[in-house]
């Protein structure tokens, strides 16, 4: 039983997202759409509904690559095809799952038949299935980088190339690319963001009536999908006709010199890199004019195009939020307002104010509610309207605690003299907020040395630690564990050669059987789980070091972003430790939590280490192949405050003993660790170094963490690991 697709015109709100999708349907050359937003905001629903609006496509019968019968691809692997009549079918919407392999995306060659029989047998992948349709990638930010590169290269070139062991296959792959992502789960690299034509941000409405309408429609659809779709069939048909009319009008749209100058001036004013932004903005403005039923590009088209095509191209660093200053945009556009007069408004035509493609229940004159939302209407904004919903959518809608001074620098000698290694911090009350200080800003980040996990892993592809990966330098060969995807030709020939006489070989060629096949073993880099354990106690803040410490952690977070790691953040202060950020791919979220981190209170170092051990235990069950790297940022001091209602039986050495025991537990688990020593002042107690020894990790000072100050940090980590294994 087939379930009807949720109608595109029934989606409530999300005007920018709907407009961006429709513009790509009008002009696939725009380059696709990336929809960024929180979970549960109808991203996937709208994309799936879009495919039903696309016009049917004619295909050559029997062609696995959907060749156009009017102009078949001369290089089609199933060709050559003679031009002629074909069969019509609906445009496809192909979904690329997050766990897809390279073979599933681009297709696979039967290497065994190619070697033994000389037959170029090719099984098409998802790129071939999506040709002349929609390729939808949900959670595109979670795809491996090399898959995203292949995907975006095919989208840019309109073709997919498969090169394997001297066998080459090329086929057309032109599709409407749509990706969705939740920024909380990690960002795309700026280079990959730039490859998407348009980007829109979506979020759930805070308007009560709009939320009620969303729930009402969804419940009605779940109860009777076919009946619900039938009630919106007329609106869907009108929108489908408008898309077809805009496509037909698109070749006639003229992009005048003034519009081109506006586009160039806007891109230059916002300092976007390269020329792709100018080209995409020009194509988008042209599509907006066609969508509005005009053959000329106006200022409002350029403005709307810039709002869709430029925000994601202005990110200069991973922690910069995408966005565009609309006041600055208007100021740049105003410079060109008086160069030439605007042409008169066209009469009628698709998308004009007299047209009725908005999905309202009104007559030709707009009905009792007045004219529909045509060009410049509230739904589409300047430059093109969007279908309006049946139900009218509503319009969008203390002082810090006193600081308690910590120990002075001169108290270090007293702390060393009593042998406890624990500062007697004033104000270390019973709660985590005892002696809390307001959050301080982070110092300027810097480039750090690479900290990696010793040994050879097999985790997700990344850029940190050595690992066996699908891509990298070849280090050996082995029997295939599953479907052969990377042939080691020399090892295969070597395995088959001794058996040629027994197999009855009497002529040229090599008799190869499945047992002879060998796959290449490659070594590359993997991404790790970098878990930060940050001391936020009063001993860190009292010396006014927290700004520098946050800057160091921010630098390490930036390094983790560039190396494609997952990150987590644990802080400890007062009486306990807190998991401020569970392990995630969103380094931006970790940076935001770090910026708001308050300080003060005593130093429950043992609690922080035990919390880290528990988090790593759970993550090992979830993702056994991803190896962890523990980064402890502390001065090594350990103190604990008495919990309310309990007698204080601990000696002054008890917190240190508990921290030592916790460190030994982590060392016993084989966790690779680095201790960033934040101790400062003329007299140093060396407590962070002692903690690093108990963890069997590497101590690093803040100065040594900088890339220009360290020459052998990675070697030290490996040497410590070698010593640990020998012990």
């Amino acid at each position: 039983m087939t379930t009807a697709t949720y109608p595109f015109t029934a989606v409530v709100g999300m005007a920018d997202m709907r407009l961006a999708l429709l513009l790509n349907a009008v002009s696939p050359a725009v380059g696709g759409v990336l929809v960024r937003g929180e979970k549960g905001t109808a991203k996937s629903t709208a994309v799936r509904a879009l495919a039903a609006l696309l016009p049917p496509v004619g295909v050559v019968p029997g062609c696995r690559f959907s060749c156009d019968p009017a102009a078949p691809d001369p290089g089609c692997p199933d060709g050559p095809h003679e031009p002629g009549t074909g069969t019509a079918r609906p445009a496809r919407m192909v979904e690329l799952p997050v766990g897809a392999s390279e073979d599933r995306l681009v297709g696979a060659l039967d290497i065994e038949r190619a070697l033994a029989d000389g037959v170029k047998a090719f099984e098409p992948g998802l790129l071939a299935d999506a040709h002349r349709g929609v390729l939808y990638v949900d959670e595109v930010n979670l795809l491996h980088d090399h898959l995203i590169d292949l995907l975006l290269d095919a989208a840019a070139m309109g073709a997919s190339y498969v090169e394997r062991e001297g066998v080459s296959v090329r086929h057309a792959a032109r599709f409407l690319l749509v990706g969705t992502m939740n920024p909380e789960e990690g960002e795309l690299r700026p280079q990959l963001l730039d490859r998407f034509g348009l980007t829109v941000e979506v979020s759930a409405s805070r308007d009560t009536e709009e939320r009620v309408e969303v729930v009402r429609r969804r419940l009605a659809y779940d109860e009777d999908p076919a009946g619900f779709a039938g009630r919106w069939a007329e609106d869907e048909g009108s929108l489908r006709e408008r898309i077809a009319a805009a496509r037909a009008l698109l070749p006639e749209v003229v992009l005048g010199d003034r519009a081109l100058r506006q586009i160039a001036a806007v891109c230059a004013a916002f300092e976007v890199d390269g020329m792709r932004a100018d080209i995409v903005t020009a194509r988008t403005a042209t599509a907006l004019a066609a969508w509005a039923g005009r053959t000329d590009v106006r200022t409002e088209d350029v403005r709307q195009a810039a709002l869709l095509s430029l925000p994601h191209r202005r990110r200069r660093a991973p922690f910069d939020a995408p966005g565009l200053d609309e006041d600055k945009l208007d100021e740049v556009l105003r410079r060109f307002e008086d160069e030439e007069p605007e042409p008169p408004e066209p009469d009628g035509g698709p998308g004009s104010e007299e047209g009725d493609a908005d999905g309202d229940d009104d007559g030709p004159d707009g009905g009792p509610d007045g004219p529909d939302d045509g060009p410049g209407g509230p739904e589409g904004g300047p430059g093109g309207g969007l279908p309006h919903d049946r139900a009218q959518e509503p319009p969008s809608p203390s002082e810090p605690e006193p600081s308690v001074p910590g120990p002075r620098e001169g108290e270090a000698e007293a702390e060393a003299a009593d042998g406890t290694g624990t500062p007697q911090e004033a104000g270390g009350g019973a709660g985590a907020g005892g002696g809390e200080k307001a959050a301080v800003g982070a110092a300027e980040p810097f480039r750090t040395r690479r900290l990696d996990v010793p040994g050879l892993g097999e985790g997700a592809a990344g850029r940190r630690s050595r690992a066996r990966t699908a891509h990298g330098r070849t280090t050996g060969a082995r029997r295939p564990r599953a479907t052969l995807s990377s042939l080691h030709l020399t090892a295969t020939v070597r395995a088959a050669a001794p058996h040629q006489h027994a197999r009855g070989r009497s002529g040229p060629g090599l008799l190869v059987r499945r047992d002879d096949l060998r796959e290449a073993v490659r070594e590359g880099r993997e991404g790790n789980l970098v878990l930060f354990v940050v001391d936020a106690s009063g001993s860190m803040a009292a010396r006014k070091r927290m700004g520098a410490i946050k800057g160091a952690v921010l630098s390490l977070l930036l390094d983790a972003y560039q190396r494609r790691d997952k990150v987590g953040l644990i802080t400890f202060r007062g009486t306990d430790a807190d998991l401020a950020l569970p392990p995630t791919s969103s380094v931006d979220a970790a940076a935001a939590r770090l910026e708001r981190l308050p300080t003060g209170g005593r130093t429950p170092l043992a609690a922080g280490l035990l919390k880290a051990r528990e988090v790593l235990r759970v993550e090992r069950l979830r993702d056994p192949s991803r190896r962890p790297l523990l980064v402890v940022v502390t001065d090594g001091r350990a103190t604990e405050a008495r919990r309310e209602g309990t007698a204080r039986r601990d000696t002054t050495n008890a917190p240190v003993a508990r921290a030592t025991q916790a460190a030994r537990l982590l060392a016993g688990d084989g966790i690779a660790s680095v201790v960033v020593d934040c101790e400062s002042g003329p007299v140093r107690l060396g407590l962070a170094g002692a903690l690093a020894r108990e963890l069997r990790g590497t101590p690093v000072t803040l100065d040594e963490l900088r890339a220009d100050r360290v020459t052998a940090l990675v070697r030290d980590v490996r040497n410590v690991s070698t010593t640990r294994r020998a012990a």
Side-chain angles (χ1 to χ4, degrees):
M1 178 178 178
T2 302
T3 302
T5 303
Y6 192 92
F8 189 87
T9 49
V11 175
V12 179
M14 308 299 172
D16 286 343
M17 176 179 68
R18 291 191 289 164
L19 178 60
L21 291 172
L22 290 170
L23 291 176
N24 273 269
V26 170
S27 175
V30 166
V33 184
L34 177 63
V35 184
R36 298 162 45 93
E38 58 196 27
K39 51 188 175 293
T41 49
K43 300 188 296 292
S44 301
T45 298
V47 174
R48 294 188 177 98
L50 177 69
L53 297 174
L54 299 179
V57 295
V59 296
V60 173
C63 179
R64 298 174 298 166
F65 301 89
S66 302
C67 280
D68 186 351
D73 180 10
C76 176
D78 284 355
H81 305 299
E82 293 295 330
T85 59
T87 59
R89 63 161 175 78
R92 290 175 180 163
M93 207 230 18
V94 177
E95 294 192 44
L96 175 63
V98 170
S101 65
E102 181 179 340
D103 287 345
R104 185 71 186 99
L105 177 64
V106 301
L109 293 169
D110 191 332
I111 299 177
E112 184 178 3
R113 289 188 62 191
L115 286 175
D117 305 329
V119 176
K120 186 167 67 176
F122 180 71
E123 185 65 28
L126 295 177
L127 292 180
D129 293 341
H131 180 46
R132 304 175 67 202
V134 179
L135 181 60
Y136 171 47
V137 189
D138 194 13
E139 306 294 353
V140 64
N141 52 324
L142 302 184
L143 277 180
H144 286 174
D145 284 354
H146 76 282
L147 289 182
I148 298 177
D149 289 333
L150 289 171
L151 178 67
L152 296 178
D153 284 344
M157 296 185 296
S160 175
Y161 294 85
V162 183
E163 303 283 348
R164 296 282 173 82
E165 307 299 338
V167 181
S168 176
V169 174
R170 173 221 169 263
H171 64 83
R174 291 182 295 275
F175 46 80
L176 169 57
L177 176 64
V178 182
T180 59
M181 60 174 283
N182 183 354
E184 294 179 356
E185 297 174 344
E187 284 287 357
L188 282 172
R189 303 199 315 263
Q191 297 91 333
L192 299 181
L193 275 174
D194 183 57
R195 301 295 291 274
F196 281 94
L198 309 179
T199 298
V200 292
E201 299 275 346
V202 296
S203 59
S205 172
R206 298 297 181 257
D207 184 272
T208 302
E209 294 303 319
E210 189 166 317
R211 295 175 75 96
V212 166
E213 186 61 25
V214 171
V215 175
R216 181 182 292 120
R217 294 185 187 184
R218 186 68 207 190
L219 294 178
Y221 170 77
D222 291 340
E223 183 178 348
D224 181 12
F228 183 84
R231 292 194 291 274
W232 291 87
E234 182 179 348
D235 299 332
E236 292 283 287
S238 298
L239 186 56
R240 192 176 294 109
E241 292 174 3
R242 185 174 177 184
I243 293 174
R247 279 188 170 188
L249 184 63
L250 185 64
E252 302 177 23
V253 176
V254 177
L255 185 64
D257 187 65
R258 185 182 71 165
L260 277 173
R261 289 179 179 275
Q262 286 179 319
I263 291 169
V266 167
C267 293
F270 285 103
E271 299 180 351
V272 296
D273 294 329
M275 294 299 299
R276 183 175 284 116
D278 303 63
I279 296 170
V280 170
T281 305
R283 288 172 174 168
T284 305
T286 303
L288 279 163
W291 179 246
R294 290 185 271 101
T295 58
D296 62 294
V297 176
R298 302 181 180 178
T299 298
E300 59 261 30
D301 300 324
V302 175
R303 185 183 192 277
Q304 183 67 55
L307 291 174
L308 294 173
S309 64
L310 298 187
H312 62 294
R313 293 186 165 89
R314 296 195 65 244
R315 288 182 62 123
R316 297 306 180 108
F319 308 138
D320 293 343
L324 206 67
D325 185 343
E326 295 192 33
D327 292 337
K328 181 178 179 180
L329 174 61
D330 292 334
E331 180 183 348
V332 175
L333 292 175
R334 273 196 297 269
R335 301 174 192 168
F336 300 87
E337 280 297 314
D338 301 327
E339 288 194 6
E340 62 184 54
E342 293 281 7
E345 183 74 15
D347 295 330
S352 67
E353 291 191 355
E354 288 77 15
D356 186 22
D358 62 346
D360 286 334
D361 293 330
D362 47 24
D365 296 327
D369 293 330
D372 67 315
D373 293 325
E379 277 283 324
L386 279 177
H388 201 279
D389 300 316
R390 286 181 181 271
Q392 184 177 359
E393 297 178 8
S396 303
S398 69
E399 290 290 326
E401 295 181 17
S403 300
V404 178
R408 296 180 297 274
E409 292 291 342
E411 294 176 350
E413 294 86 350
E415 293 165 6
D418 67 13
T420 65
T422 58
Q424 305 302 316
E425 296 158 318
E436 180 173 325
K437 299 176 184 292
V440 297
E444 189 70 21
F446 51 84
R447 188 169 65 90
T448 67
R449 296 291 299 183
R450 185 178 71 211
L451 309 174
D452 62 3
V453 179
L456 192 63
E458 294 186 349
R463 301 176 182 176
R464 184 172 295 278
S465 305
R466 294 173 55 233
R468 294 187 181 93
T469 59
H471 301 273
R473 63 186 182 90
T474 301
T475 60
R478 66 186 177 192
R479 291 181 182 272
R481 297 180 177 179
T483 303
L484 179 63
S485 59
S486 178
L487 179 73
H488 194 296
L489 185 58
T490 304
T492 299
V493 172
R494 217 169 24 235
H499 308 290
Q500 297 305 296
H501 180 72
R503 293 173 184 173
R505 173 187 166 192
S506 58
L510 191 68
L511 295 179
V512 179
R513 295 180 179 174
R514 185 172 296 275
D515 290 343
D516 301 327
L517 298 178
R518 298 292 184 269
E519 68 178 0
V521 176
R522 291 191 168 95
E523 183 178 312
R525 294 280 174 180
E526 68 177 358
N528 297 111
L529 167 59
V530 182
L531 182 61
F532 294 92
V533 180
V534 180
D535 185 348
S537 66
S539 67
M540 303 283 277
R543 295 162 176 80
K544 297 181 180 180
R545 291 172 298 178
M546 206 59 198
I549 292 166
K550 284 187 176 183
V553 178
L554 194 65
S555 303
L556 290 168
L557 284 171
L558 179 59
D559 181 69
Y561 168 83
Q562 295 169 340
R563 301 192 187 281
R564 316 307 291 166
D565 295 318
K566 289 180 68 175
V567 296
L569 177 63
I570 293 173
T571 63
F572 58 94
R573 54 181 291 273
T575 61
D576 208 352
D578 175 52
L579 180 58
L581 182 72
T584 175
S585 297
S586 177
V587 178
D588 291 27
R593 303 288 175 87
L594 178 71
E595 190 68 24
R596 298 192 298 267
L597 177 65
T599 60
R602 292 187 179 268
T603 315
L605 177 57
L609 297 176
L610 292 175
K611 173 69 77 172
R613 186 172 186 243
E614 175 62 19
V615 170
L616 293 177
R617 183 188 68 81
V618 173
E619 286 301 310
R620 191 179 298 117
L621 296 175
R622 291 176 177 170
D623 189 357
S625 64
R626 189 180 289 271
R627 297 186 296 162
L629 175 63
L630 182 67
V631 179
V632 184
V633 184
T634 182
D635 57 8
R637 303 168 190 268
T639 62
E640 293 180 4
R642 181 183 62 186
R643 294 180 183 272
E644 187 176 352
T646 62
R648 187 162 192 169
R649 297 185 298 271
D650 296 336
T651 66
T652 53
N653 281 326
V656 177
R658 280 195 289 272
T660 299
Q661 184 180 10
R664 290 172 179 170
L665 289 174
L666 283 164
D669 292 339
I671 305 299
S673 60
V674 173
V675 178
V676 180
D677 185 357
C678 302
E679 192 174 27
S680 63
V683 179
R684 296 174 181 253
L685 304 180
L687 300 175
L691 176 64
R693 288 191 293 273
E694 297 294 345
L695 286 168
R696 299 180 188 173
T698 302
V700 182
T701 66
L702 288 176
D703 285 340
E704 291 172 341
L705 192 61
R706 295 177 178 270
D708 55 355
R709 302 287 181 88
V710 184
T711 58
L713 179 58
V714 176
R715 190 185 313 123
D716 290 344
V717 174
R718 290 174 178 165
N719 290 341
V720 170
S721 176
T722 302
T723 304
R724 182 176 64 191
R725 287 197 299 270

